[in-house]
Amino acid sequence: MKSYTLYSCLFLASTFVLINAQSYEDKRCKCICPSISSVLNNTEFKNHTSRIMYVTNVPPNQCNCDGVILPRIGADIGSREQEFCPRCVCKYENRNTTIIKVVVIIVIWVISILVIYMAFLIILDPLLNKKIKGNYQEHTNEDDEISAGPMSHNMSVRGNVLNRVGHQQDKWKRQVKEQRKNIYDRHTMLN
Amino acid sequence: METFPLRRSANTSPESPTYQSMTKKNTNNGSRATFVSSPDEDMIDIQTSRPAGGGDLHRTTRLGDDEDDGITHFVVDSVAYSGTQESGDIPGIGQYDDFHTIDWQRDIARDRMRHRYIVKKKQDSLWNLIEGAHDAWSGWLCVLLVGLFTGAIAGVIDIGASWMTDLKFGICPQAFWLNQEQCCWSSNETSFEGGNCSQWVTWPQLLGHSRTGAGAYVISYLFYIIWALLFAALSASLVRMFAPYACGSGIPEIKTILSGFIIRGYLGKWTLIIKCVGLILSVSAGLSLGKEGPMVHIACAIGNILSYLFPKYGRNEAKKREILSASAAAGVSVAFGAPIGGVLFSLEEVSYYFPLKTLWRSFFCALIAAFILRSINPFGNEHSVLFFVEYNKPWIFFELIPFIGLGIIGGLIATVFIKANLYWCKYRKSSKLGQYPVTEVLVVTVVTALIAYPNPYTRMNTSQLIYLLFSQCGISNSDDMCDYKRNFTTVKPVIEFAPAGPGVHRAVWLLILALILKLIMTIFTFGMKVPCGLFIPSLCLGAIVGRIVGIGMETLAFHYPQIWLFSGECSTADDCITPGLYAMVGAAAVLGGVTRMTVSLVVIMFELTGGVRYIVPLMAAAMASKWVGDALGRQGIYDAHIALNGYPFLDSKDEFQHTSLAADVMQPKRNETLSVLTQDSMTVDDVEQLLKETEHNGYPVVVSRESQYLVGFVVRRDLNLAIANARRMVDGICGQSLVLFTAGNAPQTLGPPPLKLKKILDMAPITITDQTPMETVVDMFRKLGLRQTLVTHNGRLLGVITKKDVLRHIKQMDNEDPNSVLFN
């Protein structure tokens, strides 16, 4: 339990640090045009695939050729803006980097917790179980589990949370074992 | 108090006419005749009539008047039966065991009783009124929550998968949580080289190499393979460790579950978590799989978990399936950003029982889910899928011929895929290969990564490739595929007709290679023990074929504009042939061939493209593909997988075309005896002996073994629970106690007190006669959702037909191995 609180503290701390670290823009106006040479007709025609891209942060109503392109290259193309502008594509887009950040961090945390738990179950659990088995022999008898379930539930004291968690974990482990047998050994499902 | 409204409703049960006619004959039952003839009568009548009925019953039993007795029993007890259903004294009654079929009739009757009870109590107090209101809107509330959670989780998966996919290529050091596109999102660099920018650092750059060059290529290649291996290994081992049920696409199983089958844990918490995480990992590993199919499974798991908040749905398996149907719609809705397509998918493909109420709820659920995902805006393109394209180009009438041609090609590819995949899955099931699930995943990953990296079209994310293939060549598209020899001297912003440049030829060759690779790899990938869907790979296959055909048509139209076909529309030199549209039609064709969807597929595709203009081409292709697919192989991939696994799925689309009778199918066969219980002459020991010796899931109860007149049906699980419960709770129950399925008091004997089990007895089992044609029986199983039906002859019980018997019979008639039906 202690390790979990530690992890969550770390998690919160790292989240706050990262949020303050760097802020990317959440809005942009992106314009793509062919190279200027296509209207000027003075250079070789080979380079027809080259494009110019402009990304600026302007209000949506100014996200067009007049608002973005002409202030920059108006001088270069001279009076041919009437030909050049229709070939440009301008798009106003927005995103939310905070959501992306939070989601990616959550995903990383979930994956690492699962991997740690998996490592724990593979490496440490067999060792721990050996000790416990020696002490509590009666718990290993799984046949009486179902009939004894409600009874022990009634009798259990509230303070016995840890035991109940362990009980749930055992139940879950048995279910997973059953699923594994169905799928990986007997091949009766999900082939 | 509780039994009162319930009992009243039983009067309107369909059995009452029989009862009425019978009681008219039976003159000594006057009091009950009145009670039935006025079904809306008050409670007092019923109560007064009941002891009288019980007394009658008892007398007639002792008189040995079997014939009348059997029938009166049936009705009187069905009244009480319905009443006691809900009360559930014994814990666990009305639930089902793992891998069992549910009894829709029983569950729906139970819900009706519960509903009646709540409506009746409404007038009692304000609290009850609130309770009633809560009950009434809990269905809508539940699907609202399902929609919210599904949308949110889909957003997490989309963002996580796109970030992790780009992790194979490099990282954004200033903000590691951004993928390549988002990293370069606000960079103002005028160069336009494959979306690269200085903020995005590739792995060779990070190690101090240059961005290009042979050394950098090798390092990138290595990193690509290592990351892919890591992700795939994680995915496979997480699935194996925590939730083996999370593997595969899940749609065959969801179909089976919705048809009324219990798979415990299949829609549980761990399956949900591991499926989400495993899906992100396996998509990022670059395997040839998609996240759209598993999204249906994820949504259904959310629906199942949330339904436990509402006892109305959580405790009633038949009602729960209404929520699950709505969840499936939400799953497709978020997978494709197509809410209506999702509802139709649920209706056409997965759902079994789909009343109008569920349709509206699915609609609402899909709407909410799509709205949430759209407001998360996972791809930054204002849509909930990466490959959304907006089209507004006309198509010419003549193009229907290539579209139908694409449909035929799509059907062929789909058939090849289904056959090969099924063969491979059968091989995996029966050979040693099945013992190495994780190794298999790793090998397939390495092979995929090795072959995929050199080809830029397979190296990129499959969704991105689909987007590229769908989109039309414009100024913003600088891919090889759009390398046309265009001149930019005209003022028009539209892309004019132009000859294909060398880049297009190169692209076509690469696309053909990509097609072959994707087809082969998908065959081996689908069915591996990681979460994997099939929609994206099949859309991709179709899109590649479509794009190639489209480019071919375009070239043809450019070089031979004088052919009469092109002469009309193509003379204006623009808007003639759009290869992207062909890609879309091809994608629909292959997906239609693989899954055999029609209506929902077309709707999904046109919601993807935002244009109703292409409905006719899509319909033509989907139809042609379905015909070709049906002609070459009977089943779609999901039905084929259901058959492979032997799930007890009674397809409502198939027709039963044989002339067998119920007597041919029923159990027991000749020379075997039917195991039955008698209503009042067996001891607890006898019953337990029977339970030990036989493995049936239910037993008919008869008046006596000699007469075999039917009383009712009792389920094995309930019987076990009731006996165990009685031994614990009731004093004096021992092996010699009589087991009574009758009403009223037991005869005063000297022995131990009797065990009354009338509560668990189903007094209204569906019965047929032995001469009923199987066609009718199969129809009853499908439409009523039966679990078993009892066969009678001259009114005497003859045998039982279970769903498993029906499925075995169908298999036998189709010359397949009947033993492949595994579960009961």
Side-chain angles (χ1 to χ4, degrees), chain B residues 711-753:
Chain B
V711 176
F713 191 83
V714 64
V715 185
R716 181 195 186 92
R717 185 189 151 91
D718 291 357
L719 199 57
N720 268 327
L721 283 171
I723 292 176
N725 187 58
R727 276 186 187 270
R728 241 194 354 255
M729 303 296 184
V730 186
D731 286 338
I733 296 287
C734 63
Q736 276 72 48
S737 307
L738 270 184
V739 176
L740 287 186
F741 290 103
T742 53
N745 295 317
Q748 295 295 324
T749 48
L750 293 170

Side-chain angles (χ1 to χ4, degrees), chain B residues 214-360:
Chain B
Y217 188 83
V218 171
I219 294 174
S220 304
Y221 205 160
L222 270 179
F223 265 96
Y224 184 87
I225 294 170
I226 290 169
W227 280 111
L229 256 180
L230 178 70
F231 292 151
L234 262 181
S235 178
S237 46
L238 283 178
V239 164
R240 195 192 155 89
M241 192 70 212
F242 293 118
Y245 279 175
C247 66
S249 101
I251 293 182
E253 286 76 24
I254 297 288
K255 270 184 91 163
T256 316
I257 287 175
L258 284 177
S259 80
F261 188 57
I262 305 277
I263 306 179
R264 291 235 174 277
Y266 195 75
L267 302 173
K269 290 185 278 302
W270 274 98
T271 313
L272 173 66
I273 296 170
I274 296 300
K275 191 121 195 177
C276 295
V277 173
L279 194 57
I280 294 174
L281 287 167
S282 58
V283 168
S284 327
L287 287 165
S288 179
L289 48 82
K291 58 184 170 358
E292 274 65 13
M295 217 72 115
V296 176
H297 183 187
I298 289 171
C300 283
I302 294 171
N304 178 51
I305 292 165
L306 288 177
S307 74
Y308 283 108
L309 296 179
F310 304 93
K312 178 180 177 183
Y313 296 100
R315 294 222 192 108
N316 194 320
E317 292 290 343
K319 293 290 283 179
K320 195 194 275 173
R321 273 147 186 77
E322 292 178 12
I323 299 289
L324 294 186
S325 286
S327 312
V332 174
S333 162
V334 291
F336 292 106
I340 303 174
V343 175
L344 288 173
F345 175 81
S346 180
L347 172 67
E348 184 181 358
E349 191 64 29
V350 292
S351 291
Y352 200 76
Y353 167 71
F354 204 83
L356 268 186
K357 191 173 65 180
T358 312
L359 179 78
W360 296 322

Side-chain angles (χ1 to χ4, degrees), chain A residues 30-34 49-53 87-91 93, chain B residues 192 194-195 467-468 471-479 482 486 488 493 495:
Chain A
K30 180 183 170 190
C31 289
I32 297 175
C33 299
T49 50
S50 72
R51 310 274 201 277
I52 340 171
M53 185 173 86
R87 287 168 214 165
C88 292
V89 180
C90 284
K91 224 168 154 189
E93 291 173 321
Chain B
F192 201 88
Y467 176 68
L468 205 61
S471 55
Q472 44 183 325
C473 290
I475 199 83
S476 57
N477 198 337
S478 65
D479 192 79
C482 293
R486 299 199 164 99
F488 289 97
I495 299 304

Side-chain angles (χ1 to χ4, degrees), chain B residues 27-157:
Chain B
T27 45
N28 61 351
N29 277 347
S31 65
R32 261 177 299 141
T34 55
F35 128 63
V36 168
S37 57
S38 55
D40 279 332
E41 236 172 305
D42 222 353
M43 159 187 181
I44 306 146
D45 270 340
I46 303 168
Q47 275 202 329
T48 49
S49 72
R50 197 168 158 229
D56 270 353
L57 214 89
H58 215 67
R59 193 152 37 86
T60 46
T61 315
R62 271 193 260 162
L63 285 170
D65 192 356
D66 274 342
E67 193 142 4
D68 281 356
D69 181 56
I71 295 152
T72 45
H73 239 292
F74 173 57
V75 178
V76 171
D77 288 351
S78 85
V79 171
Y81 159 69
S82 332
T84 46
Q85 271 281 304
E86 186 60 29
S87 59
D89 295 325
I90 306 157
I93 295 278
Q95 311 265 308
Y96 299 93
D97 278 333
D98 206 358
F99 303 126
H100 276 240
T101 310
I102 68 166
D103 193 338
W104 291 82
Q105 293 299 304
R106 194 171 87 149
D107 281 2
I108 288 172
R110 260 177 57 206
D111 183 66
R112 214 165 31 231
M113 296 309 152
R114 197 197 50 80
H115 184 69
R116 284 236 159 200
Y117 172 63
I118 283 172
V119 168
K120 198 78 193 171
K121 263 187 94 175
K122 235 183 196 175
Q123 294 140 10
D124 290 1
S125 71
L126 187 68
W127 176 245
N128 285 331
L129 191 70
I130 294 169
E131 246 179 7
H134 174 72
D135 182 72
W137 82 313
S138 65
W140 292 98
L141 186 66
C142 190
V143 295
L144 171 76
L145 292 176
V146 171
L148 290 175
F149 278 90
T150 308
I153 286 184
V156 169
I157 290 171

